[in-house]
Amino acid sequence: MTNDNNPTSLPKPNVEFVYSGTPNSAMTAAGIKGILVNPLNAGAGPFPPIVSDAQWVAACKRLLEQESPEQFLVNLLFILRQALGTLEH
């Protein structure tokens, strides 16, 4: 993944965006990580929180301990783009 304004090489997202109503049997580890990193689940914007701020921060802190900050931020940006993109449909 590169940005035309800054050709720095970034890691690829290693999360999946999980749509509401996805059955548990279809969940993957990448999907669960995508759920954890999604700030909309903590009540960002017009969305009601399904986890507390403390729970979301704790989950993200744990992810940051397991992967690089660059990977975490790439994943966060990917999930936000996917989540906000679904609002247009």
Side-chain angles (χ1 to χ4, degrees):
M1 175 188 303
T2 61
N3 180 327
D4 293 338
N5 298 325
N6 185 3
T8 303
S9 179
L10 293 173
K12 293 183 180 193
N14 63 5
V15 294
E16 294 173 1
F17 182 74
V18 176
Y19 290 90
S20 178
T22 298
N24 290 344
S25 61
M27 290 287 181
T28 64
I32 292 169
K33 192 189 309 187
I35 291 169
L36 294 173
V37 76
N38 189 343
L40 300 183
N41 292 329
F47 302 98
I50 59 173
V51 298
S52 70
D53 289 358
Q55 290 169 319
W56 185 79
V57 169
C60 289
K61 181 179 181 234
R62 186 88 181 253
L63 289 173
L64 278 163
E65 292 168 352
Q66 297 175 5
E67 59 193 15
S68 72
E70 290 83 8
Q71 183 67 63
F72 177 84
L73 292 169
V74 164
N75 290 342
L76 176 63
L77 186 58
F78 173 80
I79 291 297
L80 278 175
R81 285 180 173 156
Q82 294 296 308
L84 297 175
T86 63
L87 296 177
E88 298 174 3
H89 296 110

